[in-house]
């Protein structure tokens, strides 16, 4: 069972990196947006990444960065992947990814009036712009950048898109199982939902969140087994 991939974002401390790795997350996110309470410098990110073992992805979150800014960060911090969380156009995201020679995810901040067609068209635009595009990260639309910590209406996600997206926005221990069961995303991304305070993770919440996702994976696997036997 491959299971749902899990990214824990907004890490700032070595002990939190260790807790995330020990709990079995697949990816760790570092925020390079200066206005975020979870912001880290490139050198601090490099120090934290040095403790990350093989096969755990390190993801850099950027908001409307310039090509020069991103290239500078990428030279210092050995990121596996990029996450663009602003208003980057397909062409700008493509240029950013090319400058760093890294694949990227693009955020779509979902509104109440977002349609399935909107999401599919948005994905196609970024996929057409760059071979480095890996997929959409779906978050809730608010008037700030860098993550909202609020849930959007998951029923807006078309079933044909769900297996390719990273689901974010207000996920927590309390709703992670339901989110995975309802959406069936490729991956989930959490930050504030596993924190003791902004920028400080809670190791117990991290373990519980990953356990909640794994509970959903187990249920899905049982459903598949029953369908194959029917």
């Amino acid at each position: 069972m491959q299971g749902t991939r899990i990214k824990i974002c907004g890490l700032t401390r070595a002990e939190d990196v260790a807790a995330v790795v020990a709990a079995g997350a697949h990816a760790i996110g570092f925020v390079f947006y200066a206005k975020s309470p979870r912001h880290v410098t490139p050198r601090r990110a490099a120090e934290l990444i040095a403790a990350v073992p093989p096969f755990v992805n390190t993801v850099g979150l950027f908001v409307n960065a310039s090509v020069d800014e991103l290239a500078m960060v990428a030279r210092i911090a050995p990121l596996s992947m990029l996450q663009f969380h602003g208003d980057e156009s397909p062409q700008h995201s493509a240029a950013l990814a090319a400058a760093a020679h890294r694949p990227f995810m693009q955020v779509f901040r979902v509104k109440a009036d977002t349609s399935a067609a909107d999401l599919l068209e948005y994905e196609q635009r970024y996929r057409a712009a760059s071979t480095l595009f890996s997929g959409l990260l779906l978050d809730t639309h608010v008037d700030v950048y860098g993550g909202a910590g609020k849930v959007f209406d998951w029923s807006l996600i078309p079933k044909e898109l769900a297996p390719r997206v990273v689901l974010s926005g207000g996920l927590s221990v309390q709703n992670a199982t339901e989110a995975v069961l309802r959406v069936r995303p490729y991956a989930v991304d959490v930050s504030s939902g596993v924190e003791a305070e902004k920028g400080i993770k809670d190791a117990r919440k991290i373990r519980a969140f990953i356990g909640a996702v794994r509970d959903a994976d187990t249920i899905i696997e049982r459903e598949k087994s029953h369908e194959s036997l029917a």
Side-chain angles (χ1 to χ4, degrees):
M1 182 176 70
Q2 174 177 309
T4 306
R5 302 293 178 174
I6 301 168
K7 172 174 170 276
I8 311 294
C9 194
L11 276 76
T12 62
R13 305 188 305 166
E15 54 264 48
D16 294 339
V17 171
V20 168
V21 169
H26 304 92
I28 295 173
F30 301 98
V31 178
F32 297 101
Y33 179 49
K35 293 183 179 179
S36 170
R38 301 168 186 89
H39 171 258
V40 292
T41 66
R43 294 198 181 282
R44 179 56 178 159
E47 294 170 357
L48 296 171
I49 291 170
V52 177
F55 305 120
V56 177
N57 284 339
T58 54
V59 183
L61 186 156
F62 298 85
V63 175
N64 300 327
S66 68
V67 169
D68 288 344
E69 176 189 352
L70 190 138
M72 179 273 294
V73 173
R75 284 194 299 269
I76 297 171
L79 301 165
S80 308
M81 194 171 189
L82 310 172
Q83 178 178 328
F84 300 142
H85 222 93
D87 302 310
E88 300 89 0
S89 68
Q91 293 72 30
H92 186 52
S93 289
L96 291 169
H101 306 289
R102 296 289 186 275
F104 73 96
M105 296 179 288
Q106 184 70 43
V107 72
F108 186 106
R109 294 191 293 278
V110 181
K111 300 179 180 180
D113 61 352
T114 294
S115 69
D118 292 334
L119 289 168
L120 291 167
E121 189 271 339
Y122 196 81
E123 182 200 37
Q124 181 55 38
R125 286 173 56 206
Y126 285 86
R127 194 172 298 284
S130 175
T131 57
L132 292 171
F133 173 72
S134 292
L136 295 183
L137 182 143
L138 304 182
D139 202 350
T140 307
H141 184 273
V142 293
D143 292 330
V144 296
Y145 294 116
K150 296 182 179 179
V151 176
F152 64 89
D153 182 358
W154 300 326
S155 69
L156 297 171
I157 305 170
K159 291 188 182 300
E160 63 267 37
L161 178 64
R164 302 193 293 274
V165 302
V166 179
L167 180 64
S168 187
L171 297 182
S172 66
V173 175
Q174 288 72 32
N175 64 12
T177 301
E178 179 189 4
V180 173
L181 289 175
R182 286 182 55 186
V183 178
R184 310 290 173 100
Y186 179 75
V188 293
D189 187 344
V190 66
S191 182
S192 60
V194 293
E195 287 184 332
E197 58 184 272
K198 290 183 178 181
I200 306 298
K201 302 306 183 196
D202 184 314
R204 290 174 296 179
K205 289 183 179 179
I206 291 169
R207 291 193 297 270
F209 180 85
I210 292 177
V213 174
R214 292 288 165 255
D215 287 345
D217 288 339
T218 299
I219 293 169
I220 292 170
E221 192 65 19
R222 285 175 184 163
E223 290 177 356
K224 292 178 179 179
S225 297
H226 291 157
E227 289 171 1
S228 66
L229 293 173

